[in-house]
Amino acid sequence: MTDLKVLYETVKKRNPNDAEFLQAVEEVFESLNVIADVHPEKLDDDVLYRLVEPERQIIFRVPWIDDQGKMQVNRGFRVQFNSAIGPYKGGLRFHPSVNISIIKFLGFEQVFKNSLTTLPMGGGKGGSDFDPKGKSDGEVMRFCQSFMTELYRHIGANTDVPAGDIGVGAREIGYLFGQYKRIQNEFTGVLTGKGLSYGGSLVRTEATGYGLCYFTEAMLKDKGTDFTDKTVVLSGSGNVAIYACQKAQQLGAKVVTMSDSNGFIYDPNGIDLDTVKEIKEVRRGRIKEYVEKHPEATYTEGARPWAIPCDIALPCAIQNELGLDDAKELVKNGVMAVCEGANMPTTPDAIHYLLENKVLYAPGKASNAGGVACSGLEMSQNAEHLSWTFEDVDKKLKDIMVSIFNTCRDTAKEYGHPDQYVVGANIAGYLKVAEAMKAQGCV
Ligand code: NDP
């Protein structure tokens, strides 16, 4: 049987500078230790040593010309982590913090997440240290075209299907798709998150935020409650945060905060989402502008919203945005559930603290899987050259999220850790991928 400690040391030695990747591996190994206790025969050396090593890592130069006519250079990444259960699938992140560690952590998480959706998708992730903030549409387009001029040779509808993530929304996907089509002379479902006029799926824009709330609702219902009249504290004001806010409000909750990388707003009357959408989706402005229209709300610069009392916390911005002190504050204020819209937003010590204090904790690889699940549905529609209705896709999304919750709950229970959905998510995600890897031999 694999000694996970020894394997972790090997991973550390191979990836000495990749703090985020090591954090993600350590979290999964914590759950795999549970398999080691209950079903050691299911931990297979041959699988585990391959699981922590990406199948392929591509790093490339992305030169582009800015509006002043000056040459700029960024770095592009695509990590094709695991294709045991389907073509690589996972988003592209454009953010100045992007490096190989962040892309590997995201790709590793994606393997388990995609497995949990039950759809045939392997795991991958990519991106660049390019910052779309403050750039003109022309600059973003030239960057995307240059990025795709290298990426196109590594991807394909049956090989690797990227999508959006931080800094990559409808505008960027459009430019990337246009360039792929131009180079390959092929109109194919090579990216998801496309516009509705050229092969996109209804609900994809809303899917991660809605899916997060469907998962959370299933979890709350399992405990005999729901969103009605709950106070929700939410971080971020991007794609995931906006649609998580919308669905939580539709389900009867009062969402009182949103944030961006500069600070957070607190509106005790409940967030007016139309104002947020106008600032963020139309003008690409800053969240602090909200208080100009809503003087009853406050804006706090340089802080996160976790000290605001709430029943439910939904971190929807970025990794490691909710630390131990934040968890202590949330528990002190009586939080009932922390459900992740972002990837790995809660630090390991904070997760342990929440679990010790009986807070329901939903790990992102399960609770934010709605985005990639809907991407899987977009791939199906592209493959059959059809478009399904909003109601149809939304129902499928909800069914998938409820089924992911049930899998996490039942697996955690089966392995002796009831209510520890993170254990259930990692084990269930792992078992399916491991079986497929074993069946395919030494590849
Ligand atoms: P967006 O780019 O649309 O929004 C990101 C949000 O996070 C913005 O409000 C941004 O603020 C904020 N943010 C960025 N960096 C920081 C920081 N250092 N501190 C605080 N806030 C920050 O991205 P998404 O909404 O798509 O993604 C959010 C999270 O959800 C990410 O972790 C992503 O990996 C995850 N996710 C996304 C999916 C999707 O379908 N889009 C699917 C599954 C997970 P600012 O404007 O100041 O940068």
Side-chain angles (χ1 to χ4, degrees):
M1 193 191 75
T2 303
D3 185 334
L4 289 164
K5 271 205 196 107
V6 174
L7 176 52
Y8 184 67
E9 288 309 312
T10 309
V11 179
K12 248 166 96 177
K13 216 164 146 192
R14 268 205 187 128
N15 307 274
N17 304 314
D18 298 344
E20 293 84 1
F21 175 56
L22 291 170
Q23 182 182 334
V25 171
E26 202 171 9
E27 187 224 89
V28 168
F29 277 19
E30 229 177 89
S31 301
L32 297 189
N33 268 317
V34 174
I35 305 188
D37 292 340
V38 183
H39 280 299
E41 75 284 359
K42 291 192 177 174
L43 279 187
D44 189 325
D45 247 11
D46 293 346
V47 167
L48 283 167
Y49 274 81
R50 283 180 292 154
L51 192 70
V52 292
E53 188 63 25
E55 288 177 22
R56 195 172 295 107
Q57 304 182 52
I58 302 141
I59 302 182
F60 51 100
R61 180 171 71 197
V62 190
W64 57 281
I65 305 289
D66 69 17
D67 284 349
Q68 283 68 50
K70 196 167 171 288
M71 165 89 74
Q72 302 286 340
V73 181
N74 285 95
R75 185 172 279 187
F77 301 88
R78 188 71 184 166
V79 171
Q80 299 178 329
F81 220 107
N82 193 304
S83 62
I85 61 173
Y88 310 107
K89 180 89 196 87
L92 297 171
R93 176 177 292 191
F94 292 170
H95 191 270
S97 66
V98 163
N99 56 36
I100 190 66
S101 170
I102 288 184
I103 299 300
K104 274 198 299 198
F105 117 65
L106 290 164
F108 184 69
E109 293 264 301
Q110 198 81 45
V111 174
F112 300 90
K113 182 187 306 192
N114 294 2
S115 166
L116 284 170
T117 65
T118 72
L119 301 176
M121 301 181 291
K125 201 83 187 189
S128 172
D129 57 2
F130 173 76
D131 187 359
K133 231 179 284 166
K135 304 284 192 302
S136 69
D137 285 353
E139 289 177 319
V140 171
M141 182 178 75
R142 290 192 293 280
F143 172 80
C144 288
Q145 290 178 338
S146 180
F147 184 85
M148 185 53 86
T149 300
E150 171 59 34
L151 187 70
Y152 87 94
R153 69 188 85 242
H154 307 289
I155 62 177
N158 293 311
T159 307
D160 183 353
V161 185
D165 190 79
I166 292 180
V168 178
R171 175 182 59 171
E172 289 75 17
I173 292 290
Y175 294 148
L176 291 163
F177 182 77
Q179 184 71 351
Y180 180 87
K181 185 168 59 70
R182 185 183 188 196
I183 297 172
Q184 292 285 53
N185 193 24
E186 184 180 280
F187 194 113
T188 163
V190 68
L191 291 162
T192 58
K194 299 185 290 300
L196 294 176
S197 56
Y198 62 96
S201 173
L202 287 161
V203 194
R204 178 60 190 90
T205 304
E206 296 86 353
T208 308
Y210 276 23
L212 169 66
C213 291
Y214 293 149
F215 186 101
T216 304
E217 190 191 31
M219 190 174 92
L220 293 172
K221 280 194 172 154
D222 192 58
K223 296 293 171 200
T225 182
D226 58 24
F227 266 111
T228 314
D229 296 332
K230 298 286 188 301
T231 299
V232 173
V233 158
L234 191 148
S235 66
S237 49
N239 173 263
V240 178
I242 285 175
Y243 292 96
C245 177
Q246 185 169 85
K247 185 52 75 178
Q249 289 177 339
Q250 285 171 8
L251 293 172
K254 181 153 108 175
V255 181
V256 293
T257 66
M258 289 188 90
S259 70
D260 61 22
S261 51
N262 295 104
F264 77 91
I265 50 161
Y266 169 51
D267 188 338
N269 299 326
I271 295 290
D272 171 13
L273 200 55
D274 286 342
T275 301
V276 174
K277 282 186 174 183
E278 204 273 320
I279 297 168
K280 287 288 172 180
E281 291 187 334
V282 181
R283 286 193 285 115
R284 297 180 187 273
R286 307 306 300 159
I287 200 68
K288 67 177 173 198
E289 295 161 36
Y290 181 93
V291 296
E292 290 163 17
K293 204 162 169 204
H294 292 276
E296 69 285 6
T298 55
Y299 171 70
T300 310
E301 178 86 17
R304 290 166 178 156
W306 313 124
I308 303 292
C310 65
D311 303 301
I312 298 165
L314 302 177
C316 295
I318 199 155
Q319 65 272 3
N320 294 328
E321 57 165 316
L322 198 164
L324 180 59
D325 289 344
D326 303 316
K328 286 183 177 167
E329 201 71 29
L330 285 165
V331 169
K332 191 183 84 193
N333 289 327
V335 75
M336 163 195 307
V338 174
C339 304
E340 297 181 339
N343 284 310
M344 211 169 75
T346 316
T347 59
D349 49 1
I351 296 173
H352 291 139
Y353 188 81
L354 294 171
L355 292 174
E356 281 158 21
N357 285 279
K358 304 278 175 252
V359 175
L360 299 171
Y361 163 69
K365 62 168 71 77
S367 51
N368 73 28
V372 74
C374 195
S375 282
L377 302 178
E378 183 173 330
M379 288 162 73
S380 301
Q381 293 170 79
N382 291 164
E384 57 179 23
H385 301 282
L386 286 176
S387 300
W388 304 338
T389 64
F390 189 97
E391 291 70 27
D392 213 6
V393 181
D394 192 35
K395 180 174 181 320
K396 285 186 166 66
L397 171 67
K398 189 169 182 181
D399 289 348
I400 290 171
M401 295 314 295
V402 171
S403 138
I404 294 176
F405 169 72
N406 290 338
T407 300
C408 293
R409 180 198 55 198
D410 296 347
T411 311
K413 202 167 164 197
E414 183 191 337
Y415 280 79
H417 289 259
D419 293 340
Q420 299 213 359
Y421 308 119
V422 60
V423 173
N426 285 328
I427 293 180
Y430 164 80
L431 289 175
K432 181 174 174 194
V433 174
E435 190 183 322
M437 287 174 77
K438 263 190 271 181
Q440 291 169 37
C442 180
V443 291

